[in-house]
Amino acid sequence: MPSRYLFHFAQVHNEFRLPELQSIAELHGISYSLPNEPEDRDASRPYMVVELDEEEHARTLARRCILIKAVYEFYGQGSTYDELHDANHKREPLWTRYVQDTSFRFLVTSSQHKIPQSRQREVIESFAYMDFRGKIDMKNPDIILTCFEEYGLMPLLDDEHHGTTLVKYEGDGDFRQVFFGRLLEEGTARQLIGKFDVKKRVYYGNTSMESEISLLMSNQTLASPGKLIYDPFMGTGSMAYPTGHFGALVFGSDIDGRQMRGKQKTPGVVRAATQYGIASRIIDLATFDVTNNPWRCGELFDAIVTDPPYGVRAGAKRLGRKRELSEHQKNLCLQHSLSPRPDDQPYIPPTKPYELSHLAADLVLLGRYLLKPGGRLVFFLPTVTDEYEEVDIYTMLCEGMEVIANSLQDFGSWGRRLVTIKKTTTKQYLPPTFEPLQPQQVHVPAHKDFREKYFQGFKPKSDESKDSQEPTIPITTSPPPS
């Protein structure tokens, strides 16, 4: 029979919580039920009661989900402590087994508010009816019982009260809900954020993805032992390390091999993978343009995960010339190619910009060709906040591909969306030709020409002439070390 468990989420990336929970549950074959009321399913709230078949399932989710701080055996909740105590009495069989000789610790806390110690004592004393007779152990107890008071977000001060100082413990006791339960498992997966911290990595660049986001992306791929995962815009390898840590084998490619190699003899991606103990899981690194790729058969990969360049710190490129050559220029190039080269320098083919909306649509086509049935394509897509519409994501889809998650990381005037697309067809397709999008397309997605919009400050076209200066781009990481 299903049991109820209290999930305590980290107060970051609210929209990523439920997609991650769904992905890890699917990976481990866990069935779960969310609360019936939409208010109780609100992903912006720090606490959620979830039904699971087994206690071990709750522990498994806490060990793998990056956004779960802890999971508790649920004893009750209420809008007042009287309601909480009534609910706790009804679930008495769950906690009476610990009454006689179990050492315990009792906590009263909140994610958004500091509770004065005097009231913490009052709350603890209100649970005296539980009659725990074991030893109180604050350092190493057998069980930890916790009350969570959920407060709403602190409202912004209006102009009249601007500059005033809030009274200490203001609003104490005016909580939205109070939850009570026994700690089952700490969210150990969150420790990986520090392990994969970019600043501690031996090789990284100014486009390296922050560790928490790369871990969330890896969970969306269902990375696990035996899976083969591909990153077509490998760069400095931020996606490879967490997916490799979870047991998957990784293949990476990039149009600019220097990003993967760095300046030392051993490729930078391999050096960083060695730092994390997963060098053996990097199958290979290759330099090529995804629109002129060497893949001669499809359905190779269990997942494709990538952070495509969208032109803010590094622009996307594909093979080709910005301007077509005249017949005379083509003849000169042909004659030059037939004559012996005067030196041993390698040929570097010309490249041209790769517009983001074209890149996204081509990436979905590539995913449909290369993914196994049921495989996932996971990537970030930047969008302009004021222009975004839900239909934007569907402009890039093709037959046999379905959006299963779309989570926003909001930066104000723009944001980036973590999009997860699943291959739902078993039909085999020919390699994509990556033809340009048809010009008669009616809807223009918000991510089209994103680079130009970013450097214009996301202003309407009528305002472009007022301020043509490009904004400064904050760089939080350093270039690849030599």
Side-chain angles (χ1 to χ4, degrees):
M1 182 178 177
S3 300
R4 301 172 76 188
Y5 299 90
L6 176 63
F7 282 66
H8 182 193
F9 292 103
Q11 292 301 284
V12 290
H13 308 305
N14 299 347
E15 290 197 17
F16 293 66
R17 294 173 183 171
L18 295 185
E20 182 189 40
L21 180 65
Q22 183 276 329
S23 294
I24 302 307
E26 179 180 332
L27 174 63
H28 292 280
I30 298 173
S31 61
Y32 66 96
S33 298
L34 298 178
N36 294 325
E37 295 297 327
E39 181 183 12
D40 296 330
R41 289 200 306 269
D42 185 356
S44 66
R45 298 176 64 179
Y47 312 106
M48 186 179 294
V49 179
V50 180
E51 281 193 359
L52 297 166
D53 291 333
E54 300 178 20
E55 181 178 306
E56 188 57 32
H57 291 171
R59 296 181 183 274
T60 298
L61 293 172
R63 292 169 188 154
R64 179 65 188 263
C65 290
I66 307 302
L67 296 179
I68 293 180
K69 294 186 69 174
V71 177
Y72 296 77
E73 184 180 38
F74 177 70
Y75 289 167
Q77 75 179 87
S79 57
T80 66
Y81 272 100
D82 288 338
E83 290 182 8
L84 173 61
H85 292 314
D86 288 341
N88 191 36
H89 276 298
K90 293 177 182 177
R91 300 177 72 85
E92 186 172 339
L94 295 177
W95 50 262
T96 50
R97 51 185 164 162
Y98 303 113
V99 167
Q100 293 299 325
D101 57 359
T102 303
S103 64
F104 68 97
R105 182 184 181 189
F106 205 113
L107 298 175
V108 181
T109 186
S110 173
S111 293
Q112 308 99 332
H113 175 77
K114 187 173 181 179
I115 304 171
Q117 289 188 354
S118 59
R119 198 167 67 78
Q120 290 184 39
R121 286 194 298 270
E122 292 176 7
V123 171
I124 294 173
E125 290 169 359
S126 71
F127 285 88
Y129 61 86
M130 296 179 73
D131 195 25
F132 273 72
R133 301 171 188 175
K135 176 185 176 183
I136 297 175
D137 189 340
M138 302 301 289
K139 293 185 177 180
N140 191 28
D142 294 329
I143 63 171
I144 297 177
L145 302 171
T146 308
C147 266
F148 294 100
E149 293 184 357
E150 179 189 3
Y151 290 79
L153 295 176
M154 183 65 69
L156 296 175
L157 295 176
D158 54 25
D159 293 338
E160 181 181 350
H161 297 88
H162 185 72
T164 60
T165 303
L166 293 176
V167 178
K168 190 175 183 180
Y169 304 128
E170 182 177 348
D172 182 58
D174 296 332
F175 48 79
R176 180 178 185 178
Q177 284 278 296
V178 58
F179 300 86
F180 182 50
R182 175 180 64 90
L183 176 65
L184 283 181
E185 189 86 20
E186 298 276 4
T188 52
R190 289 196 61 76
Q191 299 172 7
L192 296 175
I193 299 173
K195 176 178 179 178
F196 291 103
D197 186 358
V198 175
K199 296 179 181 177
K200 301 175 184 177
R201 194 174 297 166
V202 297
Y203 181 73
Y204 60 89
N206 62 0
T207 59
S208 295
M209 178 68 71
E210 58 267 36
S211 61
E212 186 171 22
I213 293 296
S214 63
L215 286 160
L216 290 171
M217 294 180 73
S218 297
N219 274 347
Q220 287 298 98
T221 68
L222 311 184
S224 58
K227 298 287 184 69
L228 182 59
I229 295 179
Y230 173 44
D231 185 348
F233 299 96
M234 187 73 160
T236 56
S238 295
M239 300 301 106
Y241 313 129
T243 50
H245 170 81
F246 291 133
L249 301 176
V250 182
F251 183 93
S253 70
D254 202 293
I255 192 172
D256 186 355
R258 295 173 298 179
Q259 292 291 317
M260 298 181 290
R261 293 192 298 269
K263 298 180 180 179
Q264 297 185 17
K265 183 176 181 180
T266 303
V269 170
V270 175
R271 287 192 285 121
T274 302
Q275 175 187 358
Y276 298 125
I278 59 164
S280 62
R281 293 175 186 161
I282 305 297
I283 298 300
D284 207 349
L285 306 172
T287 301
F288 58 80
D289 174 13
V290 291
T291 63
N292 292 272
N293 62 71
W295 306 115
R296 294 297 174 261
C297 62
E299 301 187 359
L300 293 172
F301 299 102
D302 296 283
I304 295 175
V305 59
T306 193
D307 180 31
Y310 40 86
V312 176
R313 290 180 177 149
K317 301 287 185 181
R318 62 180 297 181
L319 295 181
R321 297 183 181 276
K322 297 179 182 178
R323 299 176 182 175
E324 288 295 324
L325 297 178
S326 65
E327 288 300 322
H328 176 65
Q329 290 172 323
K330 290 180 180 178
N331 290 332
L332 290 177
C333 290
L334 179 61
Q335 295 174 15
H336 181 72
S337 65
L338 296 176
S339 60
R341 292 183 62 82
D343 51 43
D344 60 352
Q345 293 300 311
Y347 171 70
I348 301 177
T351 60
K352 60 182 179 180
Y354 198 179
E355 200 278 316
L356 182 61
S357 61
H358 292 186
L359 184 156
D362 289 348
L363 185 59
V364 175
L365 288 172
L366 182 69
R368 185 178 67 173
Y369 174 61
L370 290 180
L371 287 173
K372 298 176 182 178
R376 290 184 168 199
L377 168 63
V378 182
F379 64 101
F380 261 117
L381 184 72
T383 57
V384 182
T385 301
D386 291 340
E387 299 179 13
Y388 174 75
E389 298 178 30
E390 200 67 30
V391 70
D392 291 352
I393 302 298
Y394 297 92
T395 59
M396 68 183 76
L397 290 185
C398 56
E399 181 185 359
M401 301 293 280
E402 177 184 336
V403 176
I404 60 173
N406 174 12
S407 307
L408 173 66
Q409 185 180 16
D410 192 358
F411 298 127
S413 57
W414 71 286
R416 55 182 183 182
R417 293 182 173 273
L418 181 56
V419 181
T420 304
I421 298 177
K422 184 177 182 179
K423 182 176 178 179
T424 57
T425 181
T426 57
K427 179 181 176 181
Q428 293 185 340
Y429 289 85
L430 294 173
T433 58
F434 303 111
E435 295 294 332
L437 296 178
Q438 296 301 319
Q440 66 266 26
Q441 184 178 348
V442 177
H443 180 75
V444 179
H447 54 273
K448 188 177 190 304
D449 298 321
F450 178 82
R451 182 180 188 277
E452 289 73 13
K453 295 175 182 176
Y454 182 94
F455 286 113
Q456 291 164 4
F458 305 109
K459 296 179 180 179
K461 291 186 177 180
S462 59
D463 295 339
E464 289 177 12
S465 59
K466 297 180 182 179
D467 187 2
S468 60
Q469 186 176 0
E470 294 186 350
T472 302
I473 308 169
I475 304 295
T476 57
T477 54
S478 305
S482 59

